[in-house]
Amino acid sequence: MKPEIFEQIMDARAQRTPVALVTALDTGAQRVVARDHAADDILAQVLADAFRFDRSGVHKVPEGEFFVHIHNPPLRLIIIGAVHIAQAVIPIARAAGYDIVVIDPRGAFATGERFPDIALHAEWPDEVLPKLGLDQRTAMLALTHDPKIDDPSLHLALKSKVFYIGALGSKKTQGTRAERLAAAGFPAADIARIYGPIGLDIGAQGAPEIAISIMAELTRVLRLGS
Amino acid sequence: MAGSDPTILDQAAQWLKDGRQVALATVIETWGSAPQPVGSQLAIDANGNFIGSVSGGCVEGAVVTEALDIITSGKPKTLAFGVADETAWKVGLACGGKIRVYVEPLAA
């Protein structure tokens, strides 16, 4: 591997940019393809699926035999609301390999005692989120039930490429939320990106089971696309 | 995470920074009950120090030996290990799987 190829991979990781290292197994020739430019590559279709499903592998095409090694940034879960359900979600998400960020401007909720060893921001989401950068390997949960906190987070999530947006609340709550987002100028197709009521319908009772249903839905969207 | 463990590349980068010669081995294909998924990596330095895993211990010894040659020759190579392969038995891949490993000199 040439030094410039290795540097490109290390830089991509530092900047949370998904890239693939494509190696021609017969010649040893290598190239780094960013996910955003994968459509221009001769392996476009292979790369699209490989990025989406986080699946490295060997592919034989008329041009030769290639190993596609996906270097996706770590998965990240941003939780809006330092609430009880967040506490239940965190251990499952962490075991599944997510870096976790919790944001809640209410100091009484966002305490280190309630959320030990977590990147915790006792600030307004619209102040924190632009600094974090919302990308394709990030999921967001809006859990506060408070439009003052949840809505600005959803605005930013909908303008980004985050792979999953979930919002807590009943069907009625989702309805009024959708009306507010429509009034704020978001088209119906964008609003439909929000999963709400959040989580797979598994009859979950109580925070731990709701956490399981949320993480199951999030995993399905990550791995299957919807 | 497609089997990738980012800490291996960090270690390899550190070794390069320290002026050590490094080879990188990557699992590119698996069949059957191979213990490490595609994308798993092993970084090896010229003294035979290594970090990571390509087979959960079955063939690391053989991969390290090949890697030392590859550091010297500068030429990448694809290695295959499997139960149908005489060498695989010798190196201990009796765990029932087959793997292909791409070994390359790093940043050279």
Side-chain angles (χ1 to χ4, degrees):
Chain A
M1 190 186 299
K2 293 187 174 132
E4 59 268 27
I5 296 277
F6 188 55
E7 268 169 40
Q8 281 180 54
I9 293 170
M10 298 305 276
D11 287 351
R13 287 182 44 211
Q15 290 158 21
R16 288 188 60 85
T17 308
V19 296
L21 171 64
V22 181
T23 302
L25 291 175
D26 10 354
T27 64
Q30 292 178 314
R31 62 183 185 272
V32 174
V33 184
R35 184 174 187 172
D36 286 346
H37 298 129
D40 305 329
D41 196 90
I42 54 161
L43 294 175
Q45 190 52 52
V46 163
L47 286 165
D49 287 345
F51 274 116
R52 180 164 145 200
F53 299 117
D54 204 11
R55 194 186 294 145
S56 301
V58 171
H59 298 275
K60 277 188 189 146
V61 292
E63 289 82 1
E65 194 183 22
F66 295 92
F67 176 56
V68 172
H69 195 177
I70 296 297
H71 291 268
N72 271 325
L75 291 163
R76 187 170 53 176
L77 180 62
I78 297 177
I79 303 176
I80 309 300
V83 296
H84 187 48
I85 288 174
Q87 289 173 305
V89 164
I90 286 168
I92 307 174
R94 191 180 264 164
Y98 287 81
D99 291 339
I100 298 158
V101 179
V102 175
I103 303 170
D104 196 323
R106 301 166 299 181
F109 286 82
T111 68
E113 195 175 353
R114 287 164 53 79
F115 292 89
D117 308 320
I118 287 289
L120 184 64
H121 298 268
E123 297 165 76
W124 288 92
D126 40 349
E127 290 166 4
V128 183
L129 291 173
K131 284 182 257 172
L132 294 176
L134 299 175
D135 56 42
Q136 289 159 309
R137 296 280 288 173
T138 298
M140 180 192 282
L141 310 179
L143 303 181
T144 70
H145 279 122
D146 183 342
K148 284 201 304 298
I149 304 170
D150 281 354
D151 280 15
S153 313
L154 293 172
H155 286 198
L156 290 168
L158 288 175
K159 286 175 192 158
S160 78
K161 290 182 181 170
V162 293
F163 74 86
Y164 176 88
I165 308 168
L168 201 64
S170 64
K171 280 209 175 87
K172 186 162 168 266
T173 306
Q174 304 301 331
T176 52
R177 190 196 328 269
E179 285 167 18
R180 287 195 308 274
L181 290 169
F186 287 96
D190 280 6
I191 298 169
R193 284 176 63 201
I194 299 172
Y195 287 78
I198 199 171
L200 293 187
D201 186 2
I202 54 172
Q205 293 193 2
E209 293 183 6
I210 292 169
I212 290 168
S213 84
I214 292 172
M215 288 308 298
E217 182 172 73
L218 198 155
T219 305
R220 191 189 66 189
V221 173
L222 172 70
R223 299 301 176 195
L224 302 180
S226 70
Chain B
M1 304 296 289
S4 299
D5 177 352
T7 58
I8 315 264
L9 291 181
D10 290 335
Q11 178 67 68
Q14 185 58 49
W15 280 350
L16 289 175
K17 218 179 269 175
D18 296 343
R20 290 151 83 167
Q21 290 179 293
V22 182
L24 191 64
T26 307
V27 176
I28 61 170
E29 274 187 296
T30 66
W31 298 264
S33 62
Q36 289 286 103
V38 171
S40 303
Q41 292 186 310
L42 184 71
I44 307 103
D45 82 354
N47 293 322
N49 296 303
F50 61 92
I51 181 166
S53 176
V54 290
S55 73
C58 297
V59 301
E60 269 72 6
V63 172
V64 168
T65 306
E66 287 282 353
L68 297 178
D69 288 348
I70 284 157
I71 287 175
T72 310
S73 74
K75 290 204 177 72
K77 199 168 169 183
T78 303
L79 310 175
F81 301 97
V83 285
D85 182 338
E86 190 88 353
T87 41
W89 281 109
K90 279 192 211 144
V91 298
L93 193 73
C95 34
K98 289 205 284 180
I99 60 171
R100 271 174 94 198
V101 180
Y102 185 75
V103 190
E104 61 190 315
L106 190 56

